[in-house]
Amino acid sequence: MTSDTTYAPPEDLDARRAMALKVGAVGLVACAFGYGFAPEHFFRSWLIAYLLFLGIALGSMGLLMVQHLSGGAWGVFRRVFEASSRTLPLMAVLFLPIAVGMTSLYPWSHPELVQNDAVLTHKAPYLNSVFFMVRALFYFVGWTTIAWTLSRWSRLQDEGDMSVNIKLQYLSGGGIVFYTLTATFASVDWLMSLNPHWYSTLFGFLFVGGQGLSALAFTIIVSTFLVRRAPMASLFKPSHFHDLGKLSLAFVMLWAYFNFSQFLLIYAANLLEEIPYFIARITHGWQYLAIFLVVFHFAVPFSLLLSRDNKRMPHRLVWVALAILVVRYIDLVMLVSPEFDAAGVNLHMEAGEHEGGFYLHWLDLAAPLAVGGLWAWMFFTQLAQRPLLAFRDPYLRESLETTGGH
Amino acid sequence: MTHAETSPTLHGLMAEFETPTALVAATERARLEGYRNMDAYSPIPIEELSEALGLPRTRLPRLVLGGGILGGLAGYGLQYWSQVIAYPMNVGGRPFHAWPYFIPVTFETTILGAALGAFIGMWALNKLPMPYHPVFNVPAFARASTDRFFLCIETSDPRFDLQATSKFLESLHPLGVSEVAA
Amino acid sequence: MAAAPGHSHDGVADGGNMRPIPPVIAPGHTFESVTEKIGGIVLTKRTQIGWLVGFAIGFALLMLMNMTIGQLLFVGIGVFGNNNPVGWAFPIINFVWWIGIGHAGTLISAILLLFRQQWRTSINRFAEAMTLFAVACAAMFPLLHTGRPWLAAYWLFPYPNSMGLWPQFRSPLIWDVFAVSTYFTVSLLFWYTGLVPDMATLRDRAKSKAGKVIYGMLSLGWRGSARHWHRYEMAYLLLAGISTPLVLSVHTVVSFDFAVSVVPGWHATIFPPYFVAGAVYSGFAMVMTLAIPLRKFYGLEDFITMRHIHNMTKIMLVTGMIVAYGYANEVFFSWYSANMYEGYMMHNRMTGPYAVFYWSLIAINACMIQLFWFRSVRDNVGLLFVLSLLVNVGMWLERFIIIVTSLHRDFLPSSWDMYQPTRWDFAMFAGTIGLFLSLFFLFIRFLPALAIFEMRTIVPEAKLQPEQHG
């Protein structure tokens, strides 16, 4: 191990941070314009972009807790996970546009619609504006508490207090249960209820699995940035990237598995309350996006990640990771946009049959810049605050010794 | 020790070692010495031996890929042919060529083809089963499947010379050197 | 700490009140001692009285199975309790139960290998054997519940028959045939590939003529050549990579049998991952059920250490929590769906005539497994044995609930009925347990129950000494 135990972040991190803030500001200005011209599209686009970066933050927190419980070689990435998860307070603030735009996004927030719809009336005890906000508040309080407590104990560990090791494990055990349950309900609240009649019991797994994949891809990107600079250049080994690559491959396969299972079962049963979800996504131009996702969210990353070299060489793996983040965004577009028509109006807002068609709005580019810029600024701010290596991690020796791998 | 010229009744010379480390070191030395037709025998897989012997990457992954592709095509082809061409039947209004229904079986046959490729390919490339092999003629070799490590330089190697090779093997401090009858 | 020196995967948890992690193999073992200990169980001439008693029990139950099959073929399918509307009853419950148990074997041998989990080494062999035997038991049910298994050939397998008929590939039942037979075949190849180097060891160490000949033939002439090992390791890894999606697909396809339908309680998109998690959960419970007595009676505590027990318990905790998540998910969505039939299905499960089974299932699979969070429980081998048996019961109840409660009261109240298994149903189930036990006892007597060559790779001697090498 090196004698330098400060593991201070590289000098040019500040430049990236400033850059992220500029991008975020430009995106915000664009979004403000967009809000003026097309508020419906603004809320929809914001929701998509928001869920992508929330996914990175929450997925990182999930991976961090898994790492605390399982140990293993990826302990070297702990500080990246921790910094990601400490962006959650910012994400709570960025949730505000969704709360404001609730009536634009969610049909069940219109009492007159609920009254005339037996299904929505049945669901009203759950799907109503007040309870929606109470739940969101509960999720964010829970998530930030877990993230900040994990981070605080992690700092105590740096300072030499080894009694936190076992506490980190206990909290992670409970935290994973809490995260999985709340993420499931969040997926119902924020995504599934865009089409309030539709339901799929697998949806929570899809949501959590997507977050894990986004978090892994982002961790690969940041680690590739770090491995080119001191102090991490001597600490991140090909085997560490290999592990991240293997996990990404597993999550890519899980994504395909969950989606195919959901599709096959709904296609086979062909039930009135389920099938509209897929009809909306395999007709009117959306089918091309569906095929795009099958190819670029599954076939291509799957084939690339099978190669051992592609996983072990950061300069190759980072391109796969960047592509994965892009298709993660497109996957979220697919989850959200087909429920809205080209004018940005939710198709289920009015009674009767409505059909949307494929569209993309320029806000779909502006919103990820705004949310992503601000999020990345927060991330870099948090990353710079701690040593880049959790040098007193109880599994660290094992983690740094690792050389092998299949 | 006989001083005869390389005889057709001899398979090679075999040195016995006590540890995997000694075997890897001996193999590396023998390769530096210029020997190529040799083989190392161990009771456990030793990754470093492959490098020491200069073994090329195996063709096995390509066989597995080929087996998988064949299996997948066969599986999908079987379903397409039997459901659309040979025996089209309307079941609940579903299309004859209902591709989502064909994925699970295609997946299984792909896996089966790939696994058969790995299994048959590995044994075929290894030329096993082979009931007789000269190395079994060395009595000490019985421990090659428990706790002894052997390096056998074969007479077919162009640099093989009974005396010189034997001297070389002795210089590696083995537990013993024996001739392997063909 | 008692870690084998130079073994990087042993726990290094320092400081705090984190306990040192037990090693994967007790210290002091050598190539010879490992080989002798495991090989000796097979090569000894003396058959232990305990083995004879165990085998006799298994064999007696196996005879009960034969009797049941005779009765079934002679009298007809009516000897079973299947009725209308509960057309899928004991046979399918037991089929799913056995298939699920089979999953741990492949998971241990494949996924844990890919993730370089060395603790898999001492349990993979008998877990794989368990997989094969469990799948064999499972396969009995779909074959026999047809009542006329000699006709099942053209119902199940696509071959050009004289009637010009082909199986219906748009039905998940035929996917099951492909999934289960592929699973059995690939597991067998994987298992046998792993056995070959050990067969060579037994061939070289056997004293008896018969032993030398039989193990010699099974060893295929394996001689431990580095060129062979080179391809062997690659093949083993590839088979592991292939088996990983396979093992997930098998129970997924089993879940499709139910979920492709429109029956409330069956048609749920969460079924595939939830069934897979349940399968792994019950499979690890069965590995524990077998490993705990095995290590005790054959003195294998040095090889199946507390590390293994702890890790298996943790996997059961994780997969059990996923199963519990599935139960909670079903309850929430049966309400959220706003579908009358879904709602009634859940109401009937909780308060209907089979409610006692539902609540027993919740008690075991959702409540009891919370005990696995506690260290003191994970350390108590005797208690873990009891708990793992209970998990086997819980997972059987899960399949009973899914199948019977969904069918016995479906859309039309006029066709509701109760389901009552007959003595032959129980006899058949007990009989397959007999088949499983008989095969398993034969296996531990005649084949090495732990992978000897893989155990050798984790003794300290196997580690290359860096200063001399390279």
Side-chain angles (χ1 to χ4, degrees):
Chain A
M1 209 173 292
T2 55
S3 52
D4 165 37
T5 51
T6 58
Y7 302 107
E11 316 243 305
D12 51 349
L13 196 67
D14 266 347
R16 309 291 157 128
R17 189 171 146 238
M19 171 77 132
L21 192 59
K22 276 178 213 152
V23 171
V26 170
L28 267 187
V29 171
C31 283
F33 270 109
Y35 178 65
F37 291 117
E40 270 82 15
H41 276 301
F42 163 74
F43 291 125
R44 182 189 53 78
S45 299
W46 187 271
L47 176 68
I48 299 170
Y50 177 80
L51 288 176
L52 177 69
F53 292 95
L54 178 77
I56 299 175
L58 281 179
S60 298
M61 188 176 85
L63 291 172
L64 174 66
M65 293 190 287
V66 171
Q67 201 277 325
H68 278 308
L69 287 175
S70 74
W74 31 307
V76 288
F77 301 113
R78 245 181 69 190
R79 285 294 135 89
V80 181
F81 295 148
E82 284 174 4
S84 283
S85 64
R86 282 201 305 271
T87 60
L88 280 166
L90 174 74
M91 293 319 281
V93 176
L94 297 184
F95 183 75
L96 288 178
I98 296 169
V100 171
M102 199 194 306
T103 51
S104 170
L105 289 167
Y106 301 105
W108 47 259
S109 61
H110 294 265
E112 69 282 4
L113 276 180
V114 176
Q115 272 167 16
N116 299 323
D117 187 315
V119 171
L120 291 188
T121 312
H122 175 88
K123 294 185 183 188
Y126 184 81
L127 293 182
N128 63 67
S129 312
V130 176
F131 194 26
F132 178 86
M133 286 310 298
V134 170
R135 283 197 303 274
L137 188 70
F138 174 72
Y139 305 149
F140 280 111
V141 169
W143 294 337
T144 40
T145 309
I146 292 172
W148 281 79
T149 314
L150 287 171
S151 261
R152 198 164 58 83
W153 287 346
S154 175
R155 193 176 61 217
L156 292 177
Q157 189 187 58
D158 281 359
E159 288 160 5
D161 178 1
M162 289 296 140
S163 71
V164 297
N165 291 358
I166 193 77
K167 292 200 294 194
L168 281 166
Q169 290 204 340
Y170 286 143
L171 179 61
S172 299
I176 284 179
V177 175
F178 180 83
Y179 161 59
T180 319
L181 286 175
T182 47
T184 301
F185 284 107
S187 75
V188 174
D189 293 357
W190 301 340
L191 277 174
M192 196 191 286
S193 75
L194 289 170
N195 177 350
H197 282 219
W198 184 72
Y199 65 94
S200 166
T201 47
L202 185 71
F203 207 70
F205 278 3
L206 261 177
F207 192 65
V208 172
Q211 294 188 335
L213 183 57
S214 304
L216 281 170
F218 178 74
T219 306
I220 291 170
I221 294 166
V222 175
S223 305
T224 308
F225 168 78
L226 291 175
V227 78
R228 291 179 181 152
R229 291 158 177 82
M232 301 316 275
S234 58
L235 292 167
F236 285 161
K237 302 274 161 49
S239 63
H240 296 133
F241 286 94
H242 195 178
D243 280 340
L244 289 183
K246 263 196 269 186
L247 283 170
S248 304
L249 176 62
F251 274 89
V252 164
M253 287 164 73
L254 272 183
W255 178 88
Y257 169 63
F258 289 154
N259 274 291
F260 177 72
S261 300
Q262 179 176 271
F263 169 69
L264 179 69
L265 295 177
I266 289 177
Y267 165 89
N270 203 18
L271 291 176
L272 199 60
E273 63 254 58
E274 294 178 342
I275 199 72
Y277 177 83
F278 277 113
I279 290 178
R281 282 161 181 78
I282 55 173
T283 54
H284 298 99
W286 290 108
Q287 68 268 37
Y288 302 111
L289 200 63
I291 294 167
F292 176 88
L293 280 173
V294 171
V295 174
F296 290 98
H297 203 312
F298 172 62
V300 170
F302 173 78
S303 316
L304 290 175
L305 287 171
L306 276 183
S307 145
R308 180 184 156 96
D309 288 347
N310 285 353
K311 281 179 287 199
R312 292 180 79 86
M313 298 179 185
H315 65 274
R316 288 202 203 169
L317 188 62
V318 72
W319 289 107
V320 183
L322 278 167
I324 287 178
L325 266 195
V326 173
V327 287
R328 282 299 310 133
Y329 178 69
I330 295 173
D331 185 44
L332 285 162
V333 170
M334 190 58 155
L335 289 173
V336 173
S337 288
E339 302 299 343
F340 295 82
D341 65 17
V345 178
N346 189 309
L347 292 170
H348 313 281
M349 284 290 186
E350 294 159 65
E353 289 292 308
H354 290 273
E355 286 182 340
F358 178 78
Y359 64 89
L360 273 178
H361 195 268
W362 62 267
L363 270 165
D364 289 332
L365 292 175
L369 287 185
V371 180
L374 293 176
W375 186 85
W377 167 77
M378 180 74 166
F379 171 79
F380 285 127
T381 310
Q382 294 299 334
L383 188 67
Q385 281 178 357
R386 301 278 176 91
L388 286 175
L389 186 73
F391 53 89
R392 287 208 168 93
D393 186 294
Y395 303 102
L396 194 65
R397 200 184 83 198
E398 182 187 346
S399 170
L400 293 176
E401 266 177 7
T402 314
T403 49
H406 294 307
Chain B
M1 190 151 289
T2 54
H3 289 254
E5 274 306 295
T6 314
S7 78
T9 56
L10 198 63
H11 172 72
L13 280 172
M14 184 184 264
E16 179 180 0
F17 298 93
E18 201 174 0
T19 64
T21 315
L23 176 63
V24 173
T27 312
E28 282 169 352
R29 285 277 310 280
R31 196 168 156 78
L32 281 179
E33 208 62 24
Y35 291 108
R36 289 295 177 272
N37 293 3
M38 57 179 173
D39 208 345
Y41 299 89
S42 60
I44 52 169
I46 304 168
E47 229 174 288
E48 289 80 355
L49 268 185
S50 310
E51 283 166 47
L53 284 167
L55 297 183
R57 281 180 112 157
T58 152
R59 279 173 291 166
L60 213 49
R62 270 174 287 166
L63 288 176
V64 171
L65 183 68
I69 291 172
L70 270 181
L73 289 176
Y76 201 92
L78 168 73
Q79 295 178 89
Y80 185 84
W81 185 78
S82 68
Q83 305 301 291
V84 181
I85 298 167
Y87 194 59
M89 185 167 59
N90 186 334
V91 178
R94 296 179 174 102
F96 297 134
H97 183 209
W99 63 268
Y101 285 103
F102 295 172
I103 301 287
V105 168
T106 307
F107 176 84
E108 301 297 338
T109 54
T110 306
I111 295 284
L112 185 64
L116 287 173
F119 183 80
I120 298 173
M122 188 265 286
W123 294 116
L125 291 174
N126 280 348
K127 299 198 176 62
L128 290 176
M130 183 188 279
Y132 172 78
H133 194 274
V135 290
F136 291 117
N137 292 329
V138 177
F141 194 74
R143 289 180 75 175
S145 62
T146 301
D147 59 353
R148 284 290 188 269
F149 299 80
F150 295 86
L151 178 66
C152 180
I153 299 179
E154 290 157 22
T155 48
S156 57
D157 192 283
R159 290 184 60 96
F160 186 88
D161 173 89
L162 192 55
Q163 221 167 358
T165 307
S166 164
K167 197 170 275 174
F168 165 72
L169 285 176
E170 290 287 356
S171 76
L172 300 171
H173 311 295
L175 294 173
V177 176
S178 20
E179 293 185 5
V180 185
Chain C
M1 163 188 152
H7 182 255
S8 67
H9 277 265
D10 282 324
V12 282
D14 43 288
N17 39 1
M18 305 245 294
R19 289 177 313 171
I21 301 166
V24 287
I25 182 169
H29 275 288
T30 63
F31 292 138
E32 169 62 26
S33 72
V34 167
T35 312
E36 176 53 34
K37 180 80 200 167
I38 306 170
I41 297 172
V42 176
L43 291 174
T44 176
K45 285 221 162 61
R46 215 168 52 82
T47 301
Q48 283 165 317
I49 189 80
W51 185 91
L52 282 173
V53 171
F55 180 71
I57 294 172
F59 196 71
L61 287 172
L62 176 60
M63 291 303 107
L64 180 65
M65 183 180 91
N66 287 344
M67 193 168 98
T68 312
I69 295 174
Q71 179 76 6
L72 171 76
L73 299 185
F74 193 70
V75 178
I77 195 71
V79 297
F80 290 155
N82 303 33
N83 61 18
N84 215 340
V86 189
W88 277 17
F90 253 48
I92 209 89
I93 296 170
N94 298 331
F95 164 75
V96 179
W97 189 72
W98 276 119
I99 284 281
I101 284 171
H103 277 55
T106 321
L107 187 102
I108 290 169
S109 36
I111 299 182
L112 299 185
L113 178 73
L114 294 181
F115 280 92
R116 289 184 273 136
Q117 297 288 313
Q118 264 180 336
W119 61 275
R120 68 176 272 287
T121 305
S122 47
I123 50 175
N124 67 341
R125 172 68 50 72
F126 75 85
E128 286 169 37
M130 183 197 80
T131 291
L132 289 172
F133 305 152
V135 175
C137 290
M140 303 303 289
F141 288 100
L143 269 184
L144 292 172
H145 97 300
T146 60
R148 288 173 289 172
W150 54 92
L151 292 183
Y154 80 86
W155 299 342
L156 300 179
F157 298 105
Y159 69 98
N161 54 57
S162 56
M163 295 156 288
L165 295 174
W166 290 91
Q168 172 49 264
F169 281 103
R170 284 162 290 172
S171 154
L173 300 183
I174 199 76
W175 309 344
D176 231 359
V177 175
F178 277 80
V180 172
S181 51
T182 300
Y183 187 44
F184 187 81
T185 312
V186 175
S187 303
L188 185 66
L189 299 181
F190 202 11
W191 186 63
Y192 182 63
T193 302
L195 266 171
V196 167
D198 284 0
M199 293 294 95
T201 302
L202 294 182
R203 169 197 70 200
D204 294 342
R205 295 173 75 92
K207 299 281 187 293
S208 70
K209 180 82 183 147
K212 280 186 199 301
V213 170
I214 294 170
Y215 292 127
M217 287 203 278
L218 289 172
S219 74
L220 306 179
W222 182 262
R223 53 186 189 272
S225 153
R227 291 164 202 279
H228 291 177
W229 278 124
H230 180 59
R231 295 192 193 95
Y232 180 91
E233 289 286 284
M234 177 54 89
Y236 208 63
L237 202 61
L238 287 167
L239 280 172
I242 294 164
S243 305
T244 301
L246 174 66
V247 69
L248 298 184
S249 82
V250 176
H251 229 62
T252 297
V253 168
V254 170
S255 81
F256 286 163
D257 288 344
F258 301 95
V260 156
S261 72
V262 292
V263 176
W266 286 9
H267 178 64
T269 50
I270 200 174
F271 258 39
Y274 155 66
F275 263 52
V276 170
V280 173
Y281 173 57
S282 68
F284 271 88
M286 192 54 115
V287 175
M288 292 273 272
T289 309
L290 298 173
I292 290 172
L294 191 70
R295 74 198 276 271
K296 177 99 183 131
F297 292 129
Y298 286 103
L300 296 173
E301 280 97 341
D302 280 1
F303 303 148
I304 304 175
T305 64
M306 285 314 289
R307 170 83 161 270
H308 300 92
I309 306 276
H310 288 168
N311 286 359
M312 288 195 281
T313 313
K314 286 176 188 166
I315 291 186
M316 279 165 67
L317 177 61
V318 170
T319 49
M321 290 299 284
I322 298 176
V323 170
Y325 170 96
Y327 300 149
N329 183 299
E330 279 182 322
V331 174
F332 174 72
F333 280 100
S334 68
W335 173 81
Y336 184 85
S337 71
N339 178 313
M340 178 171 82
Y341 302 103
E342 293 281 339
Y344 180 74
M345 177 275 297
M346 194 44 73
H347 176 79
N348 183 41
R349 274 187 191 177
M350 289 176 168
T351 62
Y354 297 107
V356 58
F357 296 117
Y358 179 77
W359 292 111
S360 312
L361 149 75
I362 297 293
I364 294 172
N365 287 350
C367 304
M368 186 199 82
I369 59 152
Q370 308 303 334
L371 289 174
F372 294 155
W373 287 103
F374 300 99
R375 251 184 215 178
S376 50
V377 174
R378 294 200 296 262
D379 276 337
N380 187 336
V381 178
L383 179 63
L384 284 177
F385 180 68
V386 176
L387 294 183
S388 67
L389 275 176
L390 279 173
V391 169
N392 288 319
V393 174
M395 285 310 291
W396 189 89
L397 286 172
E398 180 195 298
R399 278 67 177 247
F400 180 88
I401 286 295
I402 289 175
I403 290 160
V404 175
T405 62
S406 289
L407 286 177
H408 89 120
R409 288 182 177 174
D410 62 359
F411 303 99
L412 267 183
S414 60
S415 59
W416 289 1
D417 201 354
M418 291 295 289
Y419 167 70
Q420 178 71 51
T422 66
R423 73 181 85 159
W424 295 111
D425 276 313
F426 287 107
M428 188 67 206
F429 181 43
T432 50
I433 293 176
L435 174 63
F436 181 83
L437 287 177
S438 304
L439 289 169
F440 200 79
F441 275 104
L442 289 174
F443 159 71
I444 52 179
R445 181 68 187 85
F446 293 110
L447 292 173
L450 277 62
I452 309 175
F453 89 87
E454 291 195 68
M455 291 304 288
R456 280 191 215 112
T457 63
I458 60 171
V459 302
E461 276 181 291
K463 183 124 175 143
L464 294 185
Q465 304 301 316
E467 62 275 17
Q468 295 169 31
H469 149 67

